[in-house]
């Protein structure tokens, strides 16, 4: 008798140890499907059975099978039994289903034990086990399964909270993205209004003076300038949007990017009497999108041109340099303009921030450039260069192999 009690106790200890190990596993995941698999594994370790079914409460309150094992149960019979357990908030033990008011969940499965998945008195689901032998489950099995039900309920509730959190997070992200797009759209609309008004004015002026070709030519000139301005805004905006995408992975040489940019700009810079000095050092390749990088160099050069052409410039000199460090390559654009006033520096890279006259600046150049360089895992930095301004692009070198 003493020995029987000892063995029984030993059995309990072993099952409780399995339960403990199972709990650790079930609690260790926040993925719903994985959690269901682990509940099945834990149950198999603790209560001998043939088939099982785990039902969970959906967001609309109804119960639905999350996982079943050993065979496909009859949906209607399963639901009616599960609803009974849910309503009573208590375990149900049937030695022989055929002798009860319930229908067997799977043909030939005679005994059954089912428990609610309770968190306090909230039922989050139901776990049911069946076996072909009548009277296969004991009170002990029922009690242990009841415990498994509690543990599964906590795990399921964690999974659900995690899902809710993820959902809320992605909604928040979506909202802030929408807000950013809205801001951008408002800015673009505002910016485009100026050249569009100028285009309209010039076109009307030309119409009115149709008999004066000299005036018409002047108006058409204005119209062209305003169209250029509108085009600049739109193309910057496109780059801004493309800049959000990861750059295409392509090997690029910053010196080549510079040469290509200068071939586009040299004429214009000459016309504006900019004295350009270029100093290149041989560079290793970087990873990126050459046309986006070109856009960065264009923006920096145009800004430098504007700076040396405006008031407060010491000379019309602009210096472009490339060099390499141990893990990065650098390109700097330095000008002899008036530099950036201290109160402007914090706003340099903000979209639509400009100190240039209406119709001249879009305030997108530096923010677009900053974004492009960041997408290339690099940095765009401003520093004081005496009174003038100095912008440096730093990009990581592609490691060999
Ligand atoms: P935009 O040139 O259209 O104004 P940017 O984003 O390129 O737009 O530049 C924003 C502002 O930064 C400029 O309006 C100007 O005030 C300042 N800035 C940029 N580059 C220079 C520079 N080289 N020297 C002085 N100020 C500069």
């Amino acid at each position: 008798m003493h020995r029987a009690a000892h063995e029984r106790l030993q059995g309990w200890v072993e099952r409780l140890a399995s339960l403990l190990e199972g709990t650790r596993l079930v609690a260790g995941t926040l993925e719903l499907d994985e959690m269901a698999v682990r509940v099945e594994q834990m149950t198999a370790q603790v209560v001998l059975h043939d088939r099982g079914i785990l039902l969970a409460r959906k967001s609309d309150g109804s119960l639905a099978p999350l996982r079943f094992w050993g065979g496909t149960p009859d949906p209607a019979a399963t639901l009616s039994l599960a609803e009974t357990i849910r309503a009573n908030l208590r375990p149900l033990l049937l030695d022989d289903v055929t002798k009860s008011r319930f229908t067997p969940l799977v043909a030939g499965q005679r005994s059954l034990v089912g428990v609610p998945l309770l968190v306090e008195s909230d039922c989050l689901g139901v776990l049911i086990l069946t076996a072909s032998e009548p009277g296969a489950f004991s009170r002990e099995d029922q009690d242990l399964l009841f415990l498994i039900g509690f543990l599964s309920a906590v795990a399921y509730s964690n999974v659900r909270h995690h899902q809710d959190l993820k959902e809320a997070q992605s909604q928040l992200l979506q909202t802030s993205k929408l807000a950013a797009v809205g801001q951008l759209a408002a800015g673009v609309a505002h910016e485009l209004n100026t050249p569009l008004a100028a285009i309209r004015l010039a076109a009307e002026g030309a119409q009115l003076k149709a008999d004066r070709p000299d005036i018409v030519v002047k108006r058409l000139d204005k119209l062209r300038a305003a169209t250029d301005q509108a085009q600049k805004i739109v193309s910057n905006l496109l780059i801004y949007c493309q800049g959000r995408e990861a750059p295409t992975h392509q090997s690029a040489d910053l010196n080549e990017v510079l040469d290509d940019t200068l071939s586009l700009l040299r004429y214009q810079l000459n016309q504006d009497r900019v004295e350009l000095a270029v100093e290149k050092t041989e560079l290793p390749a970087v990873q990126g999108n050459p046309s986006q990088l070109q856009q960065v160099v264009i923006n920096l050069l145009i800004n430098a041109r504007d700076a040396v052409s405006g008031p407060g410039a010491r000379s019309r000199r602009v210096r472009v340099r490339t060099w390499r460090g141990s893990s990065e390559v650098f390109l700097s654009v330095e000008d002899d303009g008036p530099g950036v006033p201290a109160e402007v520096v914090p706003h340099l890279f903000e979209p639509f921030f400009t100190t240039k006259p209406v119709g001249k600046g879009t305030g997108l150049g530096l923010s677009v450039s900053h974004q492009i360089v960041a997408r290339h895992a690099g940095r765009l930095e401003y520093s004081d260069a005496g009174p003038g301004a100095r912008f440096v692009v730093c990009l990581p070198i592609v490691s060999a192999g």
Side-chain angles (χ1 to χ4, degrees):
M1 171 119 155
H2 182 68
R3 198 189 149 112
H6 181 77
E7 274 174 8
R8 208 164 152 243
L9 202 65
Q10 182 75 25
W12 259 99
V13 170
E14 276 167 17
R15 294 173 89 184
L16 282 173
S18 303
L19 191 68
L20 216 63
E21 172 61 12
T23 309
R24 201 178 56 75
L25 283 177
V26 171
T29 179
L30 289 170
E31 295 302 322
L32 187 60
D33 292 341
E34 183 57 30
M35 184 216 86
V37 171
R38 293 185 187 187
V39 168
E40 175 192 337
Q41 288 166 346
M42 167 165 69
T43 310
Q45 293 291 317
V46 179
V47 181
L48 267 181
H49 63 279
D50 293 337
R51 322 238 158 145
I53 176 158
L54 176 65
L55 297 103
R57 191 177 72 193
K58 294 197 297 185
S59 47
D60 64 2
S62 66
L63 283 175
L66 192 59
R67 183 173 181 81
F68 48 82
W69 53 96
T72 313
D74 177 73
T78 305
L79 271 185
S80 120
L81 192 105
E83 285 299 352
T84 306
I85 295 171
R86 166 151 89 158
N88 294 333
L89 297 178
R90 273 190 299 133
L92 177 72
L93 180 64
L94 296 175
D95 283 338
D96 194 341
V97 187
T98 55
K99 294 192 178 134
S100 75
R101 64 183 172 98
F102 296 103
T103 320
L105 306 196
V106 181
Q109 294 284 297
R110 302 281 288 277
S111 34
L112 175 154
V113 58
V115 294
L117 268 53
L118 291 178
V119 171
E120 297 184 342
S121 54
D122 191 19
C123 181
L124 300 184
V126 172
L127 175 60
I128 304 167
L129 304 181
T130 65
S132 51
E133 283 293 301
F137 299 111
S138 64
R139 279 299 295 263
E140 248 169 44
D141 291 330
Q142 177 194 294
D143 293 346
L144 282 170
L145 197 65
F146 198 28
L147 260 180
I148 290 179
F150 276 117
L151 300 170
S152 307
V154 173
Y156 180 55
S157 148
N158 282 342
V159 167
R160 285 240 311 244
H161 283 140
H162 180 66
Q163 279 176 343
D164 289 350
L165 202 71
K166 271 204 324 208
E167 187 114 325
Q169 239 174 5
S170 87
Q171 263 174 17
L172 203 69
L173 208 71
Q174 203 57 34
T175 320
S176 61
K177 261 192 213 152
L178 281 180
V181 170
Q183 267 174 10
L184 203 67
V188 172
H190 179 79
E191 294 298 316
L192 280 177
N193 255 342
T194 313
L196 286 177
I199 288 168
R200 194 190 163 88
L201 213 68
E204 279 172 1
Q207 259 177 346
L208 287 175
K209 303 283 177 189
D211 52 335
R212 292 275 310 274
D214 54 328
I215 295 184
V216 170
V217 167
K218 271 192 200 147
R219 297 280 184 274
L220 287 180
D221 247 1
K222 282 201 172 137
L223 202 145
R224 193 179 48 78
T227 314
D228 283 353
Q229 172 71 7
Q231 206 173 32
K232 204 161 88 184
I233 294 168
V234 171
S235 89
N236 267 338
L237 187 73
L238 280 178
I239 301 271
Y240 191 80
C241 298
Q242 283 161 8
R244 288 165 173 270
E245 311 297 325
T248 50
H249 288 277
Q250 190 177 339
S251 184
D253 179 341
L254 209 50
N255 281 328
E256 269 175 33
V257 169
L258 175 60
D259 288 341
D260 290 346
T261 313
L262 289 178
S263 69
L264 289 177
L265 282 187
R266 206 180 283 276
Y267 176 77
Q268 198 180 334
L269 295 177
N270 274 340
Q271 289 287 93
D272 296 327
R273 291 181 292 115
V274 171
E275 295 161 24
L276 190 68
V278 180
E279 248 178 68
K280 286 184 290 184
T281 315
E282 203 171 318
L283 297 177
V286 294
Q287 194 83 358
N289 182 324
S291 64
Q292 283 186 11
L293 292 174
Q294 201 173 320
Q295 184 68 33
V296 174
V297 183
I298 290 178
N299 285 330
L300 296 182
L301 281 171
I302 295 286
N303 279 346
R305 190 253 346 241
D306 291 347
V308 298
S309 313
R314 278 177 305 158
S315 81
R316 300 187 82 85
R317 210 166 307 139
V318 172
R319 201 165 98 160
V320 186
R321 273 201 324 131
T322 62
W323 73 99
R324 66 167 295 175
S326 55
S327 58
E328 285 175 313
V329 296
F330 301 90
L331 179 146
S332 71
V333 176
E334 199 176 319
D335 63 63
D336 261 357
V340 182
E343 67 275 14
V344 167
V345 174
H347 306 289
L348 273 179
F349 301 106
E350 280 173 17
F352 299 111
F353 173 83
T354 182
T355 56
K356 293 176 189 172
V358 176
K360 190 142 173 39
T362 61
L364 277 173
L366 285 179
S367 84
V368 165
S369 303
H370 192 268
Q371 181 153 14
I372 292 175
V373 175
R375 285 281 167 190
H376 283 75
R379 288 167 286 132
L380 172 59
E381 289 170 352
Y382 165 76
S383 61
D384 234 308
R390 184 168 123 111
F391 288 88
V392 185
V393 178
C394 324
L395 292 169
I397 296 172
V398 185
S399 55

